[in-house]
Amino acid sequence: MIIKRLLLTLFVCTIPNLYAADNNTELKTISGIHNAYKNNTTTAEQLTRTYIDRINELNPKYNAVISIEPTAIEQAKQLDALFKAGKWAGPLHGIAVLLKDNIETTGTLPTTAGSLALKNNVTNKDAFVVKQLRQAGAIILGKANLSEWANFRSSYSSSGWSAIGGQTHNAHDVTRNPCGSSSGSAVAVALNFAPIALGTETDGSITCPASVNGVYAIKPSMGQVSRAGVIPLSSSQDSVGPMAHSLKDALAVLSVIQGEDSDDVSTLNVNRTLDGIAPKPSLRIGALPASKFTVATQKLYAKQLQTLKDAGHTVVNVAVKDDLSTLYVDEYAILLYDFKAEINHYLSKTPTQVTVKSLDELIAFNIANKQQEMPYFEQDILQQANAVDLSEKQQYKSTKARYRALAKRAISNLYRNNKLDIVIAPTVSPAWKTDLINGDNFKGSSSSLPAIAGTTHITLPVGKVSHLPVGLSVIANQNDEAAAYAYAAIIDNVLGTKKPE
């Protein structure tokens, strides 16, 4: 999801209790699943079949999953055999994972970014993060639906729509939007199609869908996780991150997928410490204003802040004082430049069966296939990107340096000037009604500063407005990810047990 201010600046469905995995909360977490394996109450094969049955039953209503990996059952059988032989594959032994369908995998499944232009994009190679998952014992279950081209196609798109997968629906109310672009990943976890999913984010694409579907998620800091093997939007801001039923599980997956990768230079010489911060009995928490969010979200946030105060923490109302007037215009310029350069490079390297080899050809393909590709919204962002002059490298470099420094400085000043341990804010307002004609109706977001600065952004599902989840954002200071993880756990422990509504 690219926040719309950059561009233009029922039935009420409860989650059906169809299977034991849905009724048993222990089978939603890594430790619970591992305990079940070790106690011989289920096997990886049985649980994987349960997920596939559940997807087959419910996915036609939600459109969260594009494809199921044909080898998923065989992967599970191999892990069961390993366990029977007294061996354990790794920290994610027998844990099923769904991947956003812009992440490449070995085998027969294409990686489509939701576009018919890539319906034959069978690269038969694993992205770096997928290699890491397999080495840790995870089962690659399939591909999740997404906003087509990571929602960088139209300024009035509907998040969660792709020509390949159709419109994804919110897990808590099918008339509501799932946000995006990692829509299917968040909905799939919320519906327990898998305990873990990976999403990607440029600005809000992990945190927003996680928030409105009520799951935990981490948008990692720049360079923490490799993007090699992921269809790009912008190397300046793209991240790959986990979604899960608990913060502990999201961190466990992050510890697996992170790592240095020579195919992504941003990962070189990066500190990846996930722990080591001593617990604090009382945090000094900076609460960003909620005035841009819905009134109901503001009321929920006020209750959450009071709950934190009642638990013994100091809550300070803070605001960004830096001048951000150029930030979002600069961000959009960088994304347009990056997308043209990087999608042209990606398409030029696709297998021979993919006939679209450039952004120019993609635009022509969408026009030629307008009935399927553009029944609701068109491609003004693709056209704007295609008009960018890539020879203007000096202007690009200066703009990039300016906007990145401004975002980093704004976050650092928040922490330093207010002597804070951690910064929080609502992640996004509750899910809006899906509108395929007029597009998304965002009411506030906390994603842009950490997305541009390249700092960690965590969202916690610790409250609801009516039946709709509203996430709480935890925004890390620069080079202080471990503190953010530790303090997010403290906040989650306070709010997660009480869940103000």
Side-chain angles (χ1 to χ4, degrees):
M1 175 199 75
I2 303 300
I3 303 302
K4 297 297 177 170
R5 67 171 177 271
L6 302 178
L7 311 177
L8 299 174
T9 330
L10 146 125
F11 63 94
V12 173
C13 184
T14 57
I15 303 173
N17 293 321
L18 299 181
Y19 299 98
D22 190 53
N23 293 321
N24 187 345
T25 57
E26 290 302 308
L27 288 178
K28 292 183 177 182
T29 64
I30 294 170
S31 62
I33 292 168
H34 282 171
N35 287 337
Y37 291 161
K38 292 171 182 177
N39 293 333
N40 296 313
T41 58
T42 192
T43 66
E45 180 186 354
Q46 289 169 347
L47 195 52
T48 301
R49 289 188 186 278
T50 296
Y51 292 134
I52 292 172
D53 287 346
R54 187 168 176 77
I55 292 167
N56 287 335
E57 179 73 24
L58 295 178
N59 196 59
K61 188 179 292 183
Y62 294 95
N63 291 334
V65 176
I66 282 180
S67 57
I68 294 173
E69 169 55 48
T71 68
I73 298 297
E74 185 55 37
Q75 293 174 59
K77 288 181 177 179
Q78 291 174 7
L79 289 162
D80 285 336
L82 194 66
F83 176 60
K84 191 173 181 180
K87 299 178 182 178
W88 198 249
L92 299 182
H93 179 104
I95 302 299
V97 180
L98 284 164
L99 308 170
K100 185 176 181 180
D101 198 17
N102 58 356
I103 301 174
E104 295 179 346
T105 54
T106 56
T108 60
L109 290 186
T111 303
T112 70
S115 171
L116 291 170
L118 293 183
K119 67 179 181 179
N120 297 318
N121 186 35
V122 181
T123 65
N124 195 28
K125 61 182 180 181
D126 280 339
F128 178 88
V129 291
V130 179
K131 293 177 185 176
Q132 300 290 88
L133 289 170
R134 293 191 198 275
Q135 289 172 9
I139 296 166
I140 305 304
L141 185 61
K143 299 291 191 75
N145 199 8
L146 68 161
S147 309
E148 188 172 313
W149 294 110
N151 222 6
F152 206 63
R153 202 194 88 181
S154 169
S155 56
Y156 57 99
S157 64
S158 172
S159 288
W161 186 91
S162 74
I164 293 283
Q167 176 65 55
T168 306
H169 301 295
N170 190 283
H172 296 262
D173 183 337
V174 294
T175 71
R176 302 273 172 171
N177 197 268
C179 201
S181 62
S182 304
S183 312
S185 298
V187 173
V189 172
L191 292 172
N192 204 33
F193 289 174
I196 302 294
L198 293 191
T200 67
E201 172 164 330
T202 307
D203 187 338
S205 285
I206 291 173
T207 52
C208 184
S211 175
V212 303
N213 286 285
V215 300
Y216 292 83
I218 301 171
K219 192 284 293 183
S221 59
M222 180 60 66
Q224 194 170 1
V225 179
S226 171
R227 291 82 53 90
V230 178
I231 296 174
L233 194 166
S234 165
S235 60
S236 300
Q237 292 183 202
D238 288 351
S239 296
V240 183
M243 300 182 184
H245 291 290
S246 73
L247 180 59
K248 180 182 177 182
D249 281 5
L251 286 168
V253 176
L254 180 59
S255 71
V256 165
I257 64 173
Q258 69 176 9
E260 189 170 287
D261 178 18
S262 60
D263 290 331
D264 183 347
V265 296
S266 75
T267 66
L268 306 181
N269 303 311
V270 172
N271 177 24
R272 296 187 173 85
T273 303
L274 299 187
D275 52 25
I277 300 297
K280 281 189 172 186
S282 177
L283 298 178
R284 185 172 172 84
I285 300 169
L288 286 168
S291 55
K292 61 186 176 182
F293 299 91
T294 63
V295 171
T297 304
Q298 294 174 41
K299 291 179 179 178
L300 171 64
Y301 187 47
K303 292 178 182 178
Q304 291 170 328
L305 298 183
Q306 187 59 53
T307 301
L308 289 168
K309 291 176 184 177
D310 293 344
H313 301 290
T314 300
V315 177
V316 182
N317 293 324
V318 299
V320 174
K321 299 297 179 65
D322 299 73
D323 181 3
L324 303 182
S325 59
T326 64
L327 186 66
Y328 305 113
V329 172
D330 285 349
E331 179 187 22
Y332 192 43
I334 294 299
L335 300 187
L336 289 172
Y337 188 103
D338 282 348
F339 185 78
K340 180 177 182 179
E342 293 165 22
I343 209 65
N344 273 333
H345 177 76
Y346 181 86
L347 291 173
S348 72
K349 303 295 184 181
T350 52
T352 54
Q353 65 267 24
V354 177
T355 59
V356 171
K357 297 296 184 183
S358 68
L359 178 54
D360 197 54
E361 291 180 4
L362 173 60
I363 291 169
F365 174 91
N366 288 340
I367 293 170
N369 295 274
K370 185 172 183 177
Q371 187 172 0
Q372 293 171 288
E373 274 291 346
M374 299 191 292
Y376 305 112
F377 50 87
E378 299 192 353
Q379 55 181 346
D380 58 295
I381 296 176
L382 296 187
Q383 292 165 330
Q384 289 175 49
N386 204 36
V388 169
D389 184 354
L390 296 179
S391 69
E392 295 181 350
K393 292 182 180 179
Q394 190 54 49
Q395 181 179 344
Y396 167 80
K397 289 179 181 178
S398 62
T399 300
K400 184 172 178 177
R402 178 176 65 240
Y403 98 125
R404 176 66 51 77
L406 178 54
K408 286 183 175 181
R409 186 167 60 248
I411 292 175
S412 294
N413 285 342
L414 269 178
Y415 275 88
R416 182 176 57 253
N417 295 341
N418 298 284
K419 298 180 173 58
L420 302 175
D421 291 314
I422 200 66
V423 170
I424 64 172
T427 304
V428 71
S429 295
W432 54 93
K433 292 280 187 178
T434 294
D435 185 344
L436 286 165
I437 305 302
N438 299 306
D440 292 333
N441 184 24
F442 294 105
K443 297 291 184 183
S445 172
S446 296
S447 66
S448 290
L449 269 183
I452 296 168
T455 57
T456 293
H457 182 185
I458 304 162
T459 185
L460 310 172
V462 290
K464 286 186 176 181
V465 169
S466 186
H467 62 293
L468 299 173
V470 176
L472 185 76
S473 283
V474 176
I475 299 170
N477 200 0
Q478 288 186 73
N479 305 313
D480 208 6
E481 293 84 3
Y485 304 139
Y487 301 152
I490 293 172
I491 292 168
D492 182 51
N493 186 55
V494 172
L495 297 178
T497 56
K498 298 187 178 180
K499 294 221 178 188
E501 294 190 23

